[in-house]
Amino acid sequence: MSTRRAGSREWIGLAVLVLPTLLISIDTTVLTLAVPSLSEDLRPSGTQLLWINDIYGFLIAGFLITMGNLGDRYGRRKVLLIGAAAFAGASLLAAFAPSAELLIVARALLGVAGATLMPSTMSLIRNMFHDPVQRTTAISVWMAGFTGGLVVGPLVGGLLLEHFSWGAVFLLNVPVMVILLVLGPLLLPEYRTAASGPVDLASVALSVSAVLLVIYGVKEIAAYGPSVVALLVLAAGVVLGVVFVRRQRGLADPLLDMRLFSVPRFRAALGVLTLVILIGPVVGLLSGQYLQLVVGLSPFQAGLVTLAPAAAMLVGFALAPMLAKRWNAGLLSAGGLLVAALGLSLIGFVGGSGRDLWLILAGQTLFFLGASPLMVLGIDMVVGAAPPERSGSAAALSETVQEFGGALGLAVFGTVATAVYRMGFAVPEGVSGQVAAAAHDTLGGAVAAAASLPGEAGAALAAAAKAAFAGGVRVSIVAAALVVVAAAVLAAVALRRAAGEEKEEVRESAKESVA
């Protein structure tokens, strides 16, 4: 059977699919800029402010698997458009929320609606682009849209907040969703599973509960260290996850088809992606803190520094499909990951002074440039390995793994950096116990404490804290580099073999077409 190539209709449809992807990535960054003005207007408590920030991401992660399955059952375009309409309505509610409580509700609704958008767009790409080369290119465009949103989000948000109230950052969503609702039915085809039974509500409850509990537990450990409550929440999530998996294996029509893991290239690509996704968020977090608190850049200047790594990632996304035509995807990914490990090793040379700016800039740029081919080719293999009728579930699983990986990486490597900082922090003589305790907790606390001390005492405290933080960054980043090297080895072995099998399947399909 011949592989049908996509035409102009599919490529124009891809441009429509990039819209919700761009919007979701903008929405994850733009709220941080609005926090000061909405705090002044709504007067949220500290706990309410945390939920305003976090509940959106929690519920996106929790509902991804469910929404991906609903798209497979009832139609990817239908679920995408329903989600777009809900996203627009929740954005209006958030923009004009008169209280912190209602804003939390609106952000929760945005999270549930957002969970419909990502797997729907990816599964539609899987069904619109059957040719492997075209599909890889389409995924690189999709990834570029998501990354572009992360870059322009702060710029767009800052521009809006200079002229309008904080609600404007939510109103930005509405016209984009309206465009999707108008053009979607005209340009996007509908795909759904031919026959399926009713949704297993027990599986929905188990999957949502397991994901929410695990991510919440991991984030609490990353932010405040391992506590009894956080560990119990994490353990409860893991237990529910095990129960969910066992239930899926016994269902004739499961929410998540566990047979996907029996496909070698699906399993290999998901494994390598998971290892690399552990690293990205912690590189951004530690580098951002370092640039502001050690190098001394303002938040805006630190944001400008991130433009170079983002541009490098976009270049990597664009080059990946072209290079994949000449090189095995596994070997290409492995080579890129070795470049990424080299970038991390540069960051590992920081010494706690303002001269480290170029090490951070070069290290981040090489890391994101090197990791970008894997992100395109790995996601392509994950989605392409699934049968078309399960593409929504495969896309949702890929997105869920990214949410888990990012949270887990922050918890593990962030905890390592904090532990090394605290062990290596030597309090200078003459600093009182209360000030020393505040400085010993975090670098931010140390810099604030140093500012309150006179002359040489403050300078000595700040220097000691910066040196200790640099030590924590070095240990954490070197450990991260070793993980990336392990991912490169896995890509060179398992992913190379899996990519070779996929090319052989395409070659056999072409022979059958000619015959």
Side-chain angles (χ1 to χ4, degrees), residues 166-227:
W166 58 267
V169 300
F170 296 109
L171 290 177
L172 176 68
N173 301 336
V174 178
V176 177
M177 290 296 100
V178 169
I179 292 173
L180 177 59
L181 289 169
V182 171
L183 297 181
L186 300 176
L187 296 171
L188 301 177
E190 182 61 288
Y191 296 95
R192 65 172 62 87
T193 303
S196 59
V199 176
D200 181 54
L201 295 180
S203 294
V204 172
L206 285 169
S207 71
V208 172
S209 300
V211 172
L212 290 180
L213 289 174
V214 169
I215 290 184
Y216 180 78
V218 168
K219 283 182 175 288
E220 285 293 297
I221 292 171
Y224 307 110
S227 64

Side-chain angles (χ1 to χ4, degrees), residues 284-333:
L285 176 66
L286 293 179
S287 297
Q289 288 182 293
Y290 201 96
L291 290 172
Q292 293 181 62
L293 298 175
V294 177
V295 177
L297 301 185
S298 69
F300 178 72
Q301 290 171 327
L304 289 178
V305 169
T306 64
L307 292 179
M313 182 177 286
L314 291 174
V315 170
F317 290 157
L319 291 177
M322 293 184 284
L323 295 175
K325 294 178 183 179
R326 300 185 59 184
W327 299 88
N328 177 281
L331 293 178
L332 178 59
S333 299

Side-chain angles (χ1 to χ4, degrees), residues 75-367:
R76 285 94 189 211
R77 186 182 69 182
K78 179 185 292 185
V79 170
L80 175 66
L81 296 179
I82 291 172
F87 203 88
S91 297
L92 286 171
L93 180 63
F96 298 106
S99 66
E101 292 83 358
L102 194 57
L103 182 55
I104 292 170
V105 171
R107 289 280 290 170
L109 294 174
L110 280 169
V112 176
T116 68
L117 303 179
M118 298 295 279
S120 295
T121 55
M122 183 57 69
S123 58
L124 280 168
I125 289 173
R126 168 67 177 88
N127 286 277
M128 291 163 62
F129 297 90
H130 298 277
D131 180 78
V133 175
Q134 288 188 321
R135 189 179 64 236
T136 303
T137 302
I139 290 176
S140 73
V141 172
W142 183 86
M143 292 290 296
F146 184 82
T147 304
L150 294 176
V151 174
V152 305
L155 301 177
V156 172
L159 183 63
L160 287 173
L161 291 168
E162 281 190 10
H163 299 91
F164 305 101
S165 70
W166 58 267
V169 300
F170 296 109
L171 290 177
L172 176 68
N173 301 336
V174 178
V176 177
M177 290 296 100
V178 169
I179 292 173
L180 177 59
L181 289 169
V182 171
L183 297 181
L186 300 176
L187 296 171
L188 301 177
E190 182 61 288
Y191 296 95
R192 65 172 62 87
T193 303
S196 59
V199 176
D200 181 54
L201 295 180
S203 294
V204 172
L206 285 169
S207 71
V208 172
S209 300
V211 172
L212 290 180
L213 289 174
V214 169
I215 290 184
Y216 180 78
V218 168
K219 283 182 175 288
E220 285 293 297
I221 292 171
Y224 307 110
S227 64
V228 174
V229 173
L231 291 173
L232 287 175
V233 169
L234 179 60
V238 171
V239 169
L240 289 179
V242 171
V243 174
F244 170 77
V245 170
R246 290 176 64 87
R247 184 174 181 83
Q248 302 317 292
R249 289 175 173 169
L251 293 175
D253 191 14
L255 192 70
L256 179 63
D257 191 352
M258 303 306 296
R259 290 175 297 180
L260 289 172
F261 290 94
S262 66
V263 180
R265 63 175 179 267
F266 179 91
R267 189 172 59 243
L270 201 62
V272 179
L273 279 170
T274 301
L275 287 176
V276 177
I277 288 164
L278 289 171
I279 311 304
V282 78
V283 171
L285 176 66
L286 293 179
S287 297
Q289 288 182 293
Y290 201 96
L291 290 172
Q292 293 181 62
L293 298 175
V294 177
V295 177
L297 301 185
S298 69
F300 178 72
Q301 290 171 327
L304 289 178
V305 169
T306 64
L307 292 179
M313 182 177 286
L314 291 174
V315 170
F317 290 157
L319 291 177
M322 293 184 284
L323 295 175
K325 294 178 183 179
R326 300 185 59 184
W327 299 88
N328 177 281
L331 293 178
L332 178 59
S333 299
L337 291 177
L338 291 178
V339 172
L342 174 63
L344 293 177
S345 68
L346 290 179
I347 300 176
F349 282 103
V350 295
S353 71
R355 295 188 297 273
D356 294 328
L357 169 62
W358 296 108
L359 285 174
I360 298 286
L361 178 59
Q364 278 192 300
T365 301
L366 286 176
F367 172 76

